């Protein structure tokens, strides 16, 4: 099985962190291909960044389809371009790490909190929780106020926020709200004594499960291949024929 894990930003060092977590979660016979788009923002810390990350994500999905990979993980907590990626994936699973982490958190506990990077991204986390059906399970979103590209140095703050969240009513598990936090999950779980979910590992595990039990992504209706049409200007390479 081959899973392409896409880092939607252009930071190669973050792709390395993501790749390590993906490999750690994958079965021995799963090949992880972690990729960095050639275009997009250096980090994703708001709606503008997320919108401009999508063309790079879709380029990598199209390449993965051509390479006949079995599924995709989108390794940014905003799940940028996930629905569009599913249109291109031709029935292959496409899992965003926020969706994956929230599903696993809901399986492990009744209520969870998200610990994320900047407070400006909290609204997006709430929107995703509601759209994925976890509006009543997500009890809190807390931000460590550390930029994405520096989050690997913020483990103590993440652990402190996780401990704080677990004192709040109904919070029994922690979702890490950034792919750059992926390698912290086991250590923060050990420190807090609570389930701490890294979306990269959760995403890899869910794609593996879908492929092994023969459940692909939908390739009809809303997720059918995009309609043929031309695109102009910088988007001309995305023309569908």
């Amino acid at each position: 099985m081959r899973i392409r894990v896409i880092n939607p930003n252009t930071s190669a060092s973050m792709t390395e962190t993501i790749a390590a977590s993906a490999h750690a979660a994958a079965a021995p016979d799963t090949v992880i291909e972690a990729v960095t788009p050639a275009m997009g923002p250096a980090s994703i810390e708001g709606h503008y960044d997320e919108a401009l990350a999508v063309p790079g994500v879709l380029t990598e999905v199209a390449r993965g389809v051509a390479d006949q990979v079995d599924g995709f993980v989108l390794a940014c907590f905003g799940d940028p371009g996930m629905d569009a990626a599913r249109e291109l994936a031709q029935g292959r699973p496409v899992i965003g790490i926020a969706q994956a982490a929230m599903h696993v958190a809901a399986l492990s506990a009744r209520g969870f909190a998200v610990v994320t990077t900047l407070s400006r991204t909290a609204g997006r986390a709430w929107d995703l929780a509601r759209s994925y059906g976890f509006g009543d399970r997500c009890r809190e979103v807390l931000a460590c106020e550390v930029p994405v590209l520096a989050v690997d140095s913020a483990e103590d703050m993440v652990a402190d926020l996780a401990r704080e969240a677990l004192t709040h009513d109904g919070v029994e598990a922690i979702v890490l709200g950034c792919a750059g936090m992926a390698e912290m999950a086991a250590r923060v779980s050990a420190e807090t004594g609570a389930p701490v979910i890294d979306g990269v590992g959760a995403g890899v595990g869910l794609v593996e499960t879908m492929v092994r039990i023969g459940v692909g992504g939908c390739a009809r209706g809303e997720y059918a291949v995009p309609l043929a049409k031309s695109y102009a200007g910088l988007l001309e390479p995305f023309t569908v024929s």
Side-chain angles (χ1 to χ4, degrees):
M1 186 188 310
R2 293 167 62 202
I3 299 176
R4 185 153 296 185
V5 181
I6 302 170
N7 171 17
N9 72 40
T10 58
S11 168
S13 62
M14 183 164 287
T15 302
E16 291 176 5
T17 297
I18 290 166
S21 296
H23 282 292
D29 60 341
T30 296
V31 176
I32 297 294
E33 302 174 359
V35 298
T36 309
M39 66 176 111
S43 61
I44 300 173
E45 295 167 317
H47 301 294
Y48 184 79
D49 295 336
E50 187 170 311
L52 293 178
V54 173
V57 168
L58 298 182
T59 298
E60 294 302 333
V61 171
R63 287 175 178 162
V65 170
D67 292 341
Q68 298 185 331
V69 302
D70 296 293
F72 299 90
V73 175
L74 306 185
C76 169
F77 201 77
D79 292 352
M82 187 174 69
D83 288 325
R86 287 175 174 169
E87 290 185 71
L88 289 183
Q90 299 182 14
R92 296 165 175 82
V94 178
I95 303 291
I97 64 169
Q99 187 176 44
M102 290 180 189
H103 273 82
V104 171
L107 291 170
S108 66
R110 191 166 182 85
F112 63 86
V114 176
V115 176
T116 190
T117 51
L118 302 177
S119 57
R120 66 177 292 156
T121 67
R124 177 64 172 162
W126 280 114
D127 287 347
L128 291 177
R130 295 183 187 104
S131 69
Y132 296 150
F134 300 120
D136 61 338
R137 296 289 193 97
C138 184
R139 306 296 170 85
E140 192 149 20
V141 178
L142 301 175
C144 65
E145 302 300 353
V146 174
V148 165
L149 296 183
V151 77
D152 59 348
S153 65
E155 185 170 330
D156 289 344
M157 285 183 277
V158 170
D160 287 344
L161 286 176
R163 277 189 288 268
E164 177 187 339
L166 289 163
T167 68
H168 299 166
D169 186 41
V171 176
E172 300 166 340
I174 302 296
V175 166
L176 298 179
C178 177
M181 297 177 179
E183 292 185 306
M184 304 177 189
R187 294 188 296 270
V188 175
S189 180
E191 289 182 36
T192 60
V196 176
I197 297 94
D198 147 45
V200 175
V204 168
L206 289 176
V207 170
E208 284 183 323
T209 297
M210 290 179 71
V211 172
R212 291 189 196 284
I213 66 174
V215 177
C218 183
R220 57 187 297 174
E222 186 176 338
Y223 290 142
V225 174
L227 298 175
K229 67 185 66 174
S230 62
Y231 290 76
L234 292 174
L235 296 180
E236 185 177 356
F238 294 90
T239 292
V240 179
S241 57

